[in-house]
Amino acid sequence: MAKQANSGDLEINPSSLLSVLQDLHSKYKSLQEGAVANYIPELAKVNPDLFSICIVTVDGQVYEVGDYQQLFTIQSISKVFAYGLALEDHGRDYVLTRVGVEPTGDAFNSIILDEQSKRPYNPMVNAGAIATTSLIKGTGATERLNRVLDMFHRYTGHDVFVDISVFTSERSTGHRNRAMAHLMLNFGMIDQNIEQALDLYFQQCAVIVNCHDLAVMAATLANKGVNPITGKRAVDHQYIKDILSVMYTCGMYNFAGEWAYTVGIPAKSGVCGGILAVVPNQMGIGVFSPPLDARGNSVRGVEVCKELSQQLCLHMFACGGGSSKIESGE
Ligand code: GLU
């Protein structure tokens, strides 16, 4: 078990951390609540028993249990990274004219815009994410997609691909997202070709990753934008605060407030059943388990993160503000 060195400063032995993950995995693998997402027909085919937990520290140590190599589509977790790219392309001030930073308290797919500004509320809900993705620069659809794939390469450290079946499945059924895009076009919040913006959004959601990748991507954000495995920069350091702030306030659908209160770290979940969580300057956490609760968050994922936060004292406003330290080496 992790040992409390003194109040507000937790020293974690590496072999203990692996056994913490193993204990959590065996404790929650029998939890049978929730249902896999089925509104995108292709997602309904996933095995609900898949379950993995992975931690990558900012100095590149990796701890993982379960099906951490199992591939799945990243879905909404992609919104975090597309937001970073839009910020790099246009700067904070311009992006703020197109998408706000206010939590909605509503479902991820609500068709709502801010009454006064007509902006979507934030980049972590679908409307805001579609507006964000429409900002990604490129001379045509292929160049824009390649820029998104290159971005994921920097965060994961390897080439990534789009799952064509999931992409086409969502493209042919994503009528709510299409309705949101038209609403935003009406208010001038999107100005490029709507079908191109939607295609790129559906493609970024269909990017294939595994749980290990989620933890590496999270660790890159924890490490001020530098991938701790490759040593290469994935995103401009100045935008880490913007990305983590919207994750903290808006990243967990309409559970974001309760998550901030109980778990207390920036995170983003997706209807794939993934959760990516960031402990700034410490580690990235990835959890994958497809069955979702009523708000769209992975049931096992939420429980695991609650316990990890408690056991490792990760809450930003407890234990000295996430001052847990993992000793390097075994
Ligand atoms: N591609 C999904 C959609 O737009 C992502 C939803 C999610 O993971 O929250 O509906």
Side-chain angles (χ1 to χ4, degrees), residues 225-297:
V226 174
N227 182 319
I229 306 294
T230 64
K232 297 201 176 128
R233 177 161 292 286
V235 61
D236 191 333
H237 180 184
Q238 67 169 309
Y239 297 121
I240 293 292
K241 105 174 175 4
D242 307 61
I243 296 169
L244 294 183
S245 300
V246 293
M247 285 172 73
Y248 193 68
T249 52
C250 315
M252 296 297 288
Y253 305 121
N254 39 342
F255 183 66
E258 210 174 316
W259 172 277
Y261 187 79
T262 52
V263 183
I265 51 176
K268 181 76 196 87
S269 66
V271 293
C272 50
I275 296 180
L276 173 153
V278 178
V279 187
N281 306 315
Q282 302 284 328
M283 66 181 91
I285 301 169
V287 188
F288 171 60
S289 166
L292 309 177
D293 62 22
R295 288 183 274 205
N297 295 309

Side-chain angles (χ1 to χ4, degrees), residues 39-40 75-76 79 108 126 170 177 201 205 253 270-271:
Y39 74 100
I40 301 173
Q75 297 301 330
S76 258
K79 293 168 179 171
F108 68 101
N126 286 5
E170 183 164 15
N177 285 330
Y201 171 73
C205 289
Y253 305 121
V271 293

Side-chain angles (χ1 to χ4, degrees), residues 118-148:
K118 308 300 183 202
R119 289 179 308 181
Y121 275 87
N122 68 69
M124 301 292 113
V125 290
N126 286 5
I130 295 165
T132 302
T133 296
S134 79
L135 295 175
I136 291 171
K137 285 186 178 167
T139 51
T142 308
E143 188 178 321
R144 276 194 277 274
L145 174 60
N146 284 337
R147 290 194 67 236
V148 168

Side-chain angles (χ1 to χ4, degrees), residues 2-3 11-18 63 325-327 330:
K3 64 178 170 30
E11 295 287 333
I12 305 157
N13 177 291
S15 56
S16 310
L17 182 54
L18 188 59
Y63 306 89
K325 294 265 183 304
I326 295 169
E327 298 160 8
E330 293 289 323

